[in-house]
Amino acid sequence: MKNTGIYPAEILIPEKTDMSKWSCVACDQFTSEKEYWDKLADFVGDARSTLKITLPEIYLNDNAEKRISEINKNIKEYLCGGGFRRLPKGYVLTVRSTPFVKKRVGLIACVDLETYEYKKGSKALVRATEGTIEERIPPRLKIRENADVELPHIMILFDDEKREITERLYEQRAEFTKLYDFELNMGGGHIEGYFVPESENLADKFSALLDCERLKAKYGREDEFAFAVGDGNHSLATAKAHWERVKANLTESARKTHPARYALAEFVNIYDEGIYFEPIFRFVCGVDRNKFIKSLKEKVSGHYRVADGNTATEVAGNKPLPSVISAIDEFISEYISENGGSVDYVHGEENLFKLVKADKTAVGIMPDALDKGDLFKFVSQSGAFPRKTFSMGEGVEKRYYLEAKEIRN
């Protein structure tokens, strides 16, 4: 059987906890909306919560060292104080609804970090779908290096056009033990989870995706490409960096089973009806709005829109989407270097317009959306997209922290 990079795990789930307070959205969301996190903190109160064992990126420059120390302290308290229940080795089937989709089905499992590579031109089984900024890894590594457990917001895509894996498990869900069923906070929708025992049949189905003839027919080449990182690329890159540090001091035998080698993630079929791609917008502030827009339109061709408050102006062009985004990002970087300002990345038109309207020094840049059907073929043939090319859905649809896995012996 081929090594596909996906494995069952001994997953930890919260015990005797208010699940709606426990489960919180991914740390890289709502990074320009402090009111979101303030409201969430008020809702959570004194309850056990993933909010207290993860670090929202909005706080990266706000006593981060102290926050990380508190995170690791809370993790130990939760582990020692009966905050987690360890499941038998297996998987968790997730069924998520959001304000935008009726159903999205995923499978919580481990990815073998020895099969993952985010470097440009990677031919690994598991690959990044967008460029990785290595400077963003060290702050995350500080959190991970002393943590006893990980909580993933990573979503990894697989290319199962016949819908024979997670869709079949969904049809069989009544046969599995239900682990949770609750409303997510802050408008995140609803989620159910089912324990799926370890299964050779499931492993065989993932292995079948790597059939050489199938891959050649789909991608035009015999490229053993099993999984594409859809969300949480920098978190998975951090897990990889942490594992490289850990394994340097291990024997070959110990490397095979050390828990840090395997990172927990949610695996989702790219053909799942609940998966849709949204563009990620650039929010630039602290600039002369008119000067910025005039220069942008002169220097960057290709199809995109520019928001200046209440309206968005369309810029025409037919360059490929990756080229347009690269040109936009290069322009922003050069402009800020010469004139000052800052850039953030925003999900959703409503959020972008709200931010731009509230700040007369701000501009929103809105690239087109990527067709999800093009993802695997493009990455196979041309490598990763520019960073922040697409998002799988709106901010409230992102994976919420829920399950955990130990990463220290």
Side-chain angles (χ1 to χ4, degrees):
M1 185 185 299
K2 292 180 181 291
N3 176 13
T4 60
I6 183 171
Y7 290 91
E10 292 184 347
I11 296 170
L12 304 174
I13 61 171
E15 183 85 324
K16 298 177 182 178
T17 300
D18 182 336
M19 296 295 282
S20 290
K21 293 185 176 182
W22 169 265
S23 192
C24 299
V25 79
C27 67
D28 58 350
Q29 299 305 303
F30 306 106
T31 53
S32 294
E33 299 174 59
K34 188 173 182 294
E35 64 272 17
Y36 176 97
W37 297 101
D38 290 342
K39 185 176 179 180
L40 176 59
D42 288 342
F43 172 72
V44 166
D46 295 330
R48 282 177 174 168
S49 174
T50 56
L51 181 62
K52 299 173 182 176
I53 52 176
T54 57
L55 180 60
E57 290 188 4
I58 198 168
Y59 301 128
L60 279 177
N61 296 315
D62 181 8
N63 294 317
E65 293 290 340
K66 180 180 179 182
R67 290 178 184 275
I68 291 169
S69 177
E70 285 294 315
I71 286 167
N72 289 328
K73 176 185 173 184
N74 290 336
I75 287 174
K76 289 184 183 296
E77 288 182 359
Y78 290 5
L79 278 171
C80 298
F84 289 107
R85 172 162 66 99
R86 186 189 304 275
L87 301 175
K89 183 174 282 190
Y91 312 86
V92 173
L93 180 74
T94 65
V95 184
R96 172 88 178 268
S97 63
T98 78
F100 303 94
V101 299
K102 292 182 179 179
K103 183 183 68 178
R104 185 179 77 211
V105 180
L107 190 70
I108 308 297
C110 276
V111 58
D112 180 358
L113 292 170
E114 288 291 313
T115 68
Y116 162 68
E117 180 55 70
Y118 61 83
K119 302 288 187 181
K120 189 174 182 179
S122 169
K123 299 301 178 186
L125 285 170
V126 186
R127 303 177 197 174
T129 54
E130 63 179 21
T132 301
I133 307 169
E134 298 201 26
E135 292 78 10
R136 294 182 65 185
I137 294 176
R140 293 165 169 78
L141 202 54
K142 284 184 179 180
I143 300 170
R144 193 177 187 90
E145 62 188 3
N146 294 313
D148 293 309
V149 304
E150 62 174 4
L151 293 100
H153 71 261
I154 300 159
M155 292 182 67
I156 296 178
L157 301 169
F158 59 95
D159 187 1
D160 176 22
E161 74 280 2
K162 295 182 179 179
R163 298 171 171 82
E164 293 182 337
I165 302 180
T166 47
E167 290 82 357
R168 295 289 179 268
L169 291 173
Y170 175 78
E171 292 172 356
Q172 300 165 12
R173 68 191 184 284
E175 303 171 15
F176 304 133
T177 301
K178 181 178 280 191
L179 301 170
Y180 52 76
D181 184 348
F182 65 98
E183 291 293 317
L184 294 162
N185 59 46
M186 302 296 289
H190 190 91
I191 191 165
E192 300 172 18
Y194 301 83
F195 175 69
V196 178
E198 185 176 6
S199 164
E200 286 189 12
N201 179 53
L202 190 55
D204 288 340
K205 287 183 176 181
F206 278 112
S207 183
L209 297 180
L210 291 176
D211 177 77
C212 290
E213 292 302 317
R214 174 185 178 274
L215 293 171
K216 188 173 182 179
K218 285 186 72 72
Y219 311 139
R221 56 197 303 198
E222 292 184 13
D223 181 15
E224 288 201 341
F225 178 20
F227 298 109
V229 184
D231 268 344
N233 182 61
H234 286 90
S235 291
L236 193 58
T238 301
K240 175 79 169 182
H242 176 67
W243 166 237
E244 292 297 327
R245 285 187 180 181
V246 170
K247 80 174 186 180
N249 299 312
L250 299 177
T251 64
E252 282 297 322
S253 177
R255 289 178 181 181
K256 294 179 181 179
T257 58
H258 195 283
R261 173 173 172 164
Y262 302 91
L264 207 60
E266 181 176 4
F267 292 77
V268 185
N269 185 8
I270 197 168
Y271 292 97
D272 187 284
E273 293 178 0
I275 291 292
Y276 66 98
F277 286 179
E278 288 284 320
I280 297 179
F281 303 133
R282 276 62 179 157
F283 172 65
V284 184
C285 61
V287 299
D288 181 318
R289 180 180 282 175
N290 292 331
K291 177 183 175 182
F292 181 93
I293 293 175
K294 182 176 183 293
S295 183
L296 172 69
K297 291 179 178 179
E298 288 174 351
K299 295 182 179 181
V300 180
S301 60
H303 192 266
Y304 59 95
R305 291 178 292 157
V306 183
D308 61 359
N310 294 317
T311 61
T313 304
E314 188 169 341
V315 179
N318 57 5
K319 284 187 177 180
L321 179 63
S323 298
V324 175
I325 292 176
S326 292
I328 289 171
D329 289 343
E330 183 176 343
F331 170 81
I332 292 172
S333 178
E334 290 178 356
Y335 187 95
I336 289 175
S337 177
E338 295 174 4
N339 301 280
S342 61
V343 61
D344 196 5
Y345 303 91
V346 175
H347 302 267
E349 290 192 18
E350 184 178 345
N351 285 340
L352 181 70
F353 276 109
K354 181 176 70 173
L355 291 167
V356 174
K357 187 176 180 180
D359 185 347
K360 293 182 179 179
T361 74
V363 177
I365 307 175
M366 309 165 71
D368 292 338
L370 169 70
D371 184 337
K372 71 176 186 178
D374 294 336
L375 180 73
F376 271 81
K377 187 173 183 179
F378 181 93
V379 173
S380 174
Q381 295 181 349
S382 304
F385 286 85
R387 68 187 185 96
K388 300 292 185 181
T389 294
F390 68 91
S391 170
M392 295 194 300
E394 302 286 349
V396 295
E397 297 182 280
K398 296 300 177 181
R399 176 161 171 76
Y400 274 51
Y401 298 114
L402 205 165
E403 298 86 359
K405 184 183 79 67
E406 291 186 89
I407 56 174
R408 293 166 69 95
N409 278 333

